[in-house]
Amino acid sequence: MRCGPRAALALGLLCFGLGSGCSGSASLMLVRWALGPRCLPSQGVGVGSHVYTLNGTDPEGQPVSYHISFDPSTRSVFSVDSKCGNITLVEELDREREDEIEAIISISDGVNQVAEKVVILVTDANDEAPKFINEPYVILVPEDTPAGSSILKVHAVDRDTGSGGSVTYFLQNSHATPFAMDRHSGVLRLRVGTTLDYEKARAHFVTVVAKDGGGRLRGAEVVFSTTTTITVQVEDVQDTAPVFVGTPYYGYVYEDTLPGSEVLTVVATDGDRGKPNNVLYSLVNGSEGAFEINETSGTILVTQSPAQLRKEVYELHIQVTEISSAGQPAAHSTVPVTIRIVDLNNHPPTFYGENGPQNRFELSVFEHPPQGEILQGLKITVNDSDQGANAKFNLRLVGPGGIFRVVPQTVLNEAQVTIIVEDSAAIDFEKSTVLTFKLLAIEVNTPEKFSSTADVVIQLLDTNDNVPKFTSNYYIARIPENAPGSSHVVAVTAVDPDTGPWGKVKYSLSGTGAELFLINPSTGIIYTQPWASLDAEGTSRYNFYVKAEDAEGRSSLAEVFLTLLDVNDHYPQFGQNIQEKTMVLGTPLKIELEVQAKDRGSPSFSTTALLRIDITDTETLSGHPMAAFLLQTKDNPMKAVGVLAGIMAIVVIITVLVSTATFWRNKKSNKILPVRRVLRHRPRSTPRTVRTEWLKFRRAKPAAKFVLQEDTPNENCNNNRLGGSLPPLAPVPPPPPRVVPTMGTAPWTVPTVSGSLTPQQAQWSPKPKPLGSSVQSALVSELKQKFENKSRDNKAYF
């Protein structure tokens, strides 16, 4: 229970007993019940809540009890605890239904009782929402209502008091409506700058929200609101001209149509559809006396026979006029009507050019136009003079598929034909300089299926769309190293399929070693430079590039592999390391023998050297292997000479074999492998040397040790072919001399043989001179003479 100045409840002091103004005669008793100041219970208090406490005393000190009662016609809202005086709410309060409650409060000590009638005032809580009155809200507003005009006032009430009973108004989704609301008065107005239009919207639905000022309810602040809908119906005003329905209008008159027949009907209505006026039709112009119209129905009639009509197409202008309620003409509007004179289906589709019917169309186009490009130079129109379904036909291109497409594909009466590029790559001048198609038009829904064709010839113009291309990615050439300047090396060929200057190819060289060669820029023939000196021993292979370029700089490359064929242009050479060995042979003797080294090239080169052999006497040998050999050959001195000649022959044969092997190895290395297997060898700075070790004889074969060092062979002996004569044969040993018996024995002396090899000037010998008669006969004669002298002197000899 809430206390306030309006809710004071008091019993005061009541006297019971005997005395003035009191009944009774025994004694005086005073009962005091104090309720305190006036108190107000709130309607927002919940059932079961403690709202007040009664306080009473007995002067005699007796315990008291409390009671509360209500009029039988009212509700028992409160209950009291008889012992402690706590008053509790037992039914919910509603100020709007009962704002005052009367109750009888009493206190008793068991013998005496004091009662008092009290009035309890119920305070307000914000438990009511605003409520609109005079619903529903439906109004009719003319569409020409000025902006800012007041249209309607709404009102909502809230039975709460204070701020909870105050109401404000606003529109829901105010930005989407042409109206505005005064928040305090509830007046609905047409927003400034807006107008109503019956033809656009015949009704508007406006949602209005009424909201109270808020207040406490059960300990919390709450705000209640409610909504209502205002239906604004727009009233039509005569402000719109008549409108034709079903435009555009086309009509057809066939050749068998009778005069007076109906062609078509036009329909118009008043633009103000709320209260439409009647309309009348009239023919303004374009008929030339061939047509007329019914002024009320809008039906157009033909008045002449189609054979008498001078035009194929008539453009009529029809006017419709409103008639006001007063019978006066008001707003009006016009519409064009196209009427085509049609005969029976006896005309096929026809192609037209700029100067009339045409069945061949030509155009020049650069190759590879962009995809989707329209062929602008073709101005083709197709027309079917028939009407209706007889004038419907299809268009298509007949020829190489996928290159072009034609639009439209279906035509009614007449159309402008457009050809569009579909496949740019197929429009190639190098493949075909002319593209020819058939443009076919064939009727769709007629039993006759009339058709017609036109030739479309497209002349292609060349562009520089190709790169010069070599006939091979690489070229292989071989020339001798002694080829003179300006010698032909190889001819390369590149082809550019373009025409004119774009198809002319210009050649040039680049890369390492290309400066030694030149190329004819037009023919592609590669020559050596006039001053160039080629040497296979220095560089045997060249690898450079040839470039083919057209007039706009589009180019490609090919690789040239050139091998220099080795020519036999070097002489064999003996090494400068001349070795001498001494061999026990017998009688002192000096032999000079000429040795020749010859290659097998073409032409063949050879080198000669002088071999000197000195045979001298030495000390007597004993117990030496050589002594055993000399003893064995003392009776046959030619055996020693034969051994020597054999050793020399072996040396020469080995030299020739090494030279031949080197030649074949280099000749094989000159073979050109395919381009992916070409190996480049670096030139060797020093030639390889083939050495022949001294021939060693075992002790079982007593002989002297001879050593002959062979000069370094020519590495570049890979001639173009194997040639030359066989190596010279060893000299035949002379016949053994006659042995003269000796008297007695003489001490053995060991003669020594020393040899030296002296190279002589190399010479070119196409036909090698055999080491036969002169050298061999000189050697045999000299040996024979010395052996004969020794025999006369009775000396040992071999």
Side-chain angles (χ1 to χ4, degrees), residues 37-57:
R38 299 177 66 193
C39 296
L40 296 172
S42 173
Q43 67 173 346
V45 177
V47 174
S49 299
H50 172 258
V51 296
Y52 200 73
T53 300
L54 297 177
N55 188 12
T57 60

Side-chain angles (χ1 to χ4, degrees), residues 175-401:
H175 62 280
T177 179
F179 305 98
M181 173 66 72
D182 187 286
R183 63 176 301 179
H184 298 292
S185 65
V187 175
L188 182 68
R189 292 185 174 87
L190 186 63
R191 187 186 301 170
V192 177
T194 61
T195 58
L196 300 177
D197 190 348
Y198 178 85
E199 286 69 35
K200 292 183 178 179
R202 298 185 180 185
H204 298 271
F205 301 94
V206 183
T207 301
V208 181
V209 180
K211 183 177 68 172
D212 64 17
R216 297 188 65 82
L217 178 64
R218 295 183 179 89
E221 288 290 333
V222 294
V223 176
F224 289 99
S225 63
T226 187
T227 61
T228 189
T229 300
I230 301 175
T231 302
V232 180
Q233 296 180 347
V234 181
E235 182 181 8
D236 191 18
V237 177
Q238 291 296 329
D239 60 351
T240 305
V243 178
F244 283 95
V245 180
T247 58
Y249 293 114
Y250 295 96
Y252 303 95
V253 176
Y254 295 91
E255 63 180 355
D256 56 353
T257 303
L258 299 177
S261 299
E262 179 181 329
V263 179
L264 79 159
T265 300
V266 297
V267 178
T269 61
D270 186 0
D272 303 309
R273 300 179 183 180
K275 296 179 180 180
N277 291 325
N278 294 327
V279 295
L280 296 178
Y281 302 94
S282 61
L283 186 58
V284 179
N285 57 29
S287 70
E288 298 181 2
F291 302 92
E292 62 182 21
I293 188 170
N294 187 302
E295 66 175 4
T296 57
S297 66
T299 301
I300 301 174
L301 307 175
V302 59
T303 59
Q304 298 178 5
S305 172
Q308 297 174 338
L309 301 179
R310 296 185 299 271
K311 297 196 310 183
E312 293 184 359
V313 178
Y314 288 85
E315 291 287 342
L316 308 183
H317 289 82
I318 307 300
Q319 178 176 295
V320 61
T321 305
E322 289 185 31
I323 304 300
S324 66
S325 57
Q328 298 297 322
H332 67 273
S333 60
T334 60
V335 67
V337 177
T338 302
I339 298 179
R340 184 181 295 275
I341 309 303
V342 182
D343 58 2
L344 298 177
N345 185 29
N346 53 4
H347 295 89
T350 305
F351 293 99
Y352 294 88
E354 294 180 337
N355 300 320
Q358 188 173 334
N359 59 8
R360 182 180 176 87
F361 299 88
E362 296 186 4
L363 177 68
S364 295
V365 177
F366 283 101
E367 62 177 332
H368 304 304
Q371 184 172 349
E373 182 176 277
I374 297 175
L375 300 185
Q376 300 290 346
L378 290 177
K379 296 182 179 180
I380 307 175
T381 302
V382 62
N383 172 269
D384 192 330
S385 299
D386 298 327
Q387 299 297 328
N390 295 332
K392 186 176 182 181
F393 56 93
N394 289 337
L395 284 177
R396 68 172 181 263
L397 279 176
V398 179

Side-chain angles (χ1 to χ4, degrees), residues 145 370 377 410 424 486 507 622 639 697 777 788:
T145 300
T410 302
S424 177
S486 301
Y507 300 94
S622 61
K639 184 176 181 179
F697 298 92
S777 59
E788 290 177 351

Side-chain angles (χ1 to χ4, degrees), residues 50-51 72 101 137 154 207 233 246 329 370 373 376 389 392 400 420 423 441 542 603 665 704 763 780:
H50 172 258
V51 296
I101 300 174
Y137 297 106
V154 297
T207 301
Q233 296 180 347
E373 182 176 277
Q376 300 290 346
K392 186 176 182 181
I420 301 176
D423 187 359
Y542 291 91
R665 185 203 62 187
Q763 62 181 358
V780 173

Side-chain angles (χ1 to χ4, degrees), residues 451-462:
S451 64
S452 61
T453 61
D455 293 328
V456 179
V457 180
I458 301 175
Q459 302 284 344
L460 296 185
L461 303 178
D462 193 19

Side-chain angles (χ1 to χ4, degrees), residues 722-769:
L722 293 176
S725 59
L726 296 175
L729 300 176
V732 178
R738 185 179 53 185
V739 179
V740 179
T742 57
M743 301 300 295
T745 60
W748 281 88
T749 60
V750 181
T752 62
V753 179
S754 63
S756 65
L757 184 63
T758 303
Q760 295 182 355
Q761 184 177 0
Q763 62 181 358
W764 179 32
S765 56
K767 295 182 179 179
K769 182 178 180 182

